[in-house]
Each structure stands twice: as structure tokens, then as C-alpha cells.
Amino acid sequence: MTYGAAEALRLLTERGETLAVAESLTGGLVAAELVAVPGASKSFRGSVTAYATELKHTVLGVDAALLAAHGAVHPDVALQMAAGVRDALGADWGIATTGVAGPEPQDGQPVGTVFVAVAGPEEPGTGGFRHARDFAGSRKVLGLRLNGDRAEIRRESVRSVLGLLTEELVGAHSGERTGNARTQDTEQNGGF
């Protein structure tokens, strides 16, 4: 099932929860998709476009050693971006995109390598949210290998992160949340 911005925002509004977005390769496209929905301001708090690698650390709290060791295109970077923007903007949920849209490989990763992530609200009894690296609450990252040109890769990244958020919201609402699943791979578009 394909989910978009309208469905994610509907679910967030029903739950009385808020969303913040951290973007790299999508450069603001996720935020633009969200604000195109009438009434988005009920749930959408804002976004950070951290295109430069050092901003992922200084603004979003991504671990500098992780960035130095693996670069910006890594599943843990996506998770830390999602948790970091959630914390920085005071939202219940954070989502993030990082990857290589092309035309050249980056950080040893081929064009089309993308990671999208979601970090949800703190779950009762977790001891509180201390730092973006702690990931209190629901968290999931999806690794993608996308085909197409730069624009197609960026569009599919937007669809994927909004779909992942909606799946987590539906799962959280039904009590079927996957909880602290670390990584989910995909076969769509030639996934990992």
C-alpha cells in the first residue's frame, strides 16, 4: 500500500502528535509535500535541511565519529537525524532522508543508495530521551537501492519516508508497532 503526506498528517492529527523532518538528499521535498496538505500546521512543526555533512552533527546531533567512519550515507546516520530533528524541534515524531541521488557516488556508496528513518515518541518506562543517539521510543530505518535519475531517486525517497512514517503510525495505533527494529530492507526498485 502506498501512503502519502495526507494520510500521515491525518493520523498524526487524530493522535494529537507532531512531526519534524530532517532532510539531506531530498533537500526540502518532504517538507514541501507535507505543507501542500491543507491543515498541515496542526501536526507539522518544521524541518531541517542538513545537506552539508557537518550540519548533520552540529544541528541534528549525529555522532561525529559515525560520520567520520562511515560518511553521511549510513543507516545509523538516518536514525540519528530522525531522532535529532525530533529533539531539536520538539516533535513527537522525527523522520529523515539521507542518500546518494547522483550523478556521482558519495562516501563509497553508489547512486541510488538511500536510507530513510523514523523516530517515534518515547515509550513509557524507557527512562526519557537523553540524546539523539539514544533513540528512546519507536525507531526504524529502511535501506533502499533506487533506480532512475536524480529527480526520480529524490521523489521515491520522499514517498518511502512518508510511507515508513505512516506504517509506524498505523502500527503504533493498532498496538502492532515493531518497536526497536534496527533495520528493514526492501526489495522495491532493486533493494538491498
Side-chain angles (χ1 to χ4, degrees):
M1 176 177 269
T2 302
Y3 296 112
E7 179 66 5
L9 288 167
R10 183 189 68 76
L11 290 166
L12 286 162
T13 300
E14 282 179 4
R15 296 164 59 101
E17 294 177 339
T18 56
L19 173 66
V21 177
E23 299 187 64
S24 186
L25 85 149
T26 50
L29 291 176
V30 177
E33 189 80 10
L34 289 163
V35 300
V37 177
S41 61
K42 293 175 187 167
S43 296
F44 181 54
R45 298 221 6 112
S47 66
V48 172
T49 300
Y51 208 64
T53 299
E54 69 270 10
L55 292 178
K56 291 170 181 66
H57 170 66
T58 59
V59 175
L60 297 173
V62 176
D63 183 64
L66 173 65
L67 290 167
H70 299 286
V73 184
H74 190 272
D76 289 339
V77 170
L79 282 168
Q80 289 186 24
M81 287 173 64
V85 78
R86 179 186 68 180
D87 186 37
L89 300 187
D92 297 300
W93 293 83
I95 59 176
T97 64
T98 189
V100 186
E104 300 295 323
Q106 178 186 337
D107 298 329
Q109 297 289 345
V111 172
T113 302
V114 175
F115 296 99
V116 298
V118 60
E122 177 186 332
E123 295 178 19
T126 60
F129 185 77
R130 296 173 300 282
H131 187 276
R133 290 189 304 264
D134 294 335
F135 304 119
S138 170
R139 60 187 174 85
K140 186 178 278 188
V141 62
L142 183 67
L144 304 165
R145 290 260 196 233
L146 302 176
N147 300 314
D149 64 20
R150 183 175 175 81
E152 291 168 324
I153 290 168
R154 293 174 71 220
R155 278 193 304 271
E156 184 58 34
S157 298
V158 172
R159 283 190 291 272
S160 295
V161 77
L162 291 172
L164 182 61
L165 171 64
T166 304
E167 288 172 9
E168 286 297 289
L169 288 166
V170 168
H173 180 70
S174 68
E176 296 175 9
R177 181 184 295 161
T178 56
N180 291 327
R182 182 137 177 105
T183 303
Q184 175 183 326
D185 294 332
T186 182
E187 293 300 323
Q188 69 186 38
N189 289 325
F192 287 79

